[in-house]
Amino acid sequence: MQVDYQLAFDLAPVGLVLSRNRSILDCNQHLCEMFGATPEQLTGQSFLILYPSADEYERIGARMLPILNATGMYSDDRIMKRVGGHNKDETFWCHVTGRALNRSAPHEAGIWTFEDLSSRRPVTAKLTAREREVAAHLMKGLTSKEIGRALVISHRTVEIYRARLMRKYQASTTADLVHKLMAG
C-alpha cells in the first residue's frame, strides 16, 4: 500500500503548518477552518497574523528560541486570534506544538500543530498579554517561582499577576482560579 503524505497532511485532525523564518510556508484545511481563513490568505504570511498583538508574537518567539535550540521542540497553550470568517478577531486558547528542523537555526524551518481549545477553555475575561502567559502556566500547575523562571520575571511579579487574575475571575484561592480559568 502506498501512503499519500499530502492527503495525510491535508486531512489531519489538527491544524498543521510548515514554516520558514516564522512564516507559513504551507498549511492544511483544518488550520484554515480554525482561523477562519483560506490557504491563500495564510500561505506566505508571518505567524504574526495569528496573534492578538505584535508584542505577544515577539515575546513568544523570544521565549521559544532557547527551548528550540536545546531540545528541537516547543509546546505551550496560548491565546491566538481568528483571521476571518464570522468570528474574525475573536481570541481563543490554542495548544501549539512545534519542531525545528535545524536546532542551530530553530526559526529557519519547522513543523507546527495547532489545536483549538475553545470548547474546553473559552476566553471570557479581558486579559493582558502577560496575564495570559501567567494563566497558561498556572493551568499547567507551575509555582510562582517556576513561572518566573519560564517568563524571565521575578516570582513576586508573578504573584502580582496572579492576584490580578484572582480579582478578574473572582477566585478566592489559586485552585479556584485554575478551575475558573479552565472553565473560561
Side-chain angles (χ1 to χ4, degrees):
M1 178 174 107
Q2 185 173 346
V3 178
D4 184 343
Y5 290 103
Q6 185 63 48
L7 185 63
F9 179 84
D10 292 338
L11 299 179
V14 294
L16 290 173
V17 172
L18 300 176
S19 69
R20 183 164 319 255
N21 299 316
R22 296 191 77 195
S23 290
I24 300 167
L25 193 60
D26 195 8
C27 60
N28 70 354
Q29 188 58 40
H30 192 84
L31 184 96
C32 291
E33 291 167 4
M34 186 184 316
F35 286 95
T38 65
E40 296 77 24
Q41 288 173 304
L42 296 178
T43 303
Q45 294 294 316
S46 165
F47 278 116
L48 172 61
I49 67 167
L50 307 179
Y51 283 82
S53 70
D55 182 52
E56 287 182 75
Y57 168 79
E58 292 299 330
R59 189 170 31 241
I60 288 174
R63 187 173 67 229
M64 73 173 62
L65 197 57
I67 296 168
L68 282 169
N69 274 329
T71 68
M73 294 191 66
Y74 182 83
S75 179
D76 70 12
D77 290 350
R78 64 180 79 152
I79 300 280
M80 302 296 285
K81 181 186 75 173
R82 303 204 197 274
V83 174
H86 64 282
N87 293 324
K88 183 177 179 10
D89 295 328
E90 173 188 80
T91 56
F92 67 102
W93 281 101
C94 189
H95 180 73
V96 180
T97 303
R99 166 172 244 134
L101 299 183
N102 176 1
R103 275 194 204 177
S104 62
H107 288 315
E108 180 181 79
I111 301 168
W112 296 89
T113 65
F114 293 79
E115 181 185 0
D116 186 343
L117 302 176
S118 60
S119 65
R120 293 180 297 210
R121 190 185 302 164
V123 177
T124 55
K126 292 288 183 197
L127 304 178
T128 66
R130 185 62 86 184
E131 287 169 341
R132 286 194 285 270
E133 289 178 328
V134 170
H137 287 296
L138 284 171
M139 288 185 286
K140 291 181 191 173
L142 298 182
T143 66
S144 292
K145 287 184 181 181
E146 291 168 328
I147 295 169
R149 279 193 295 271
L151 299 178
V152 195
I153 59 177
S154 79
H155 71 279
R156 294 195 190 282
T157 302
V158 172
E159 290 167 4
I160 291 168
Y161 283 107
R162 181 195 319 253
R164 287 183 191 169
L165 288 165
M166 290 177 75
R167 276 193 305 276
K168 286 184 178 185
Y169 281 90
Q170 298 176 346
S172 55
T173 66
T174 299
D176 185 32
L177 173 61
V178 170
H179 175 73
K180 289 180 177 187
L181 286 167
M182 295 293 238

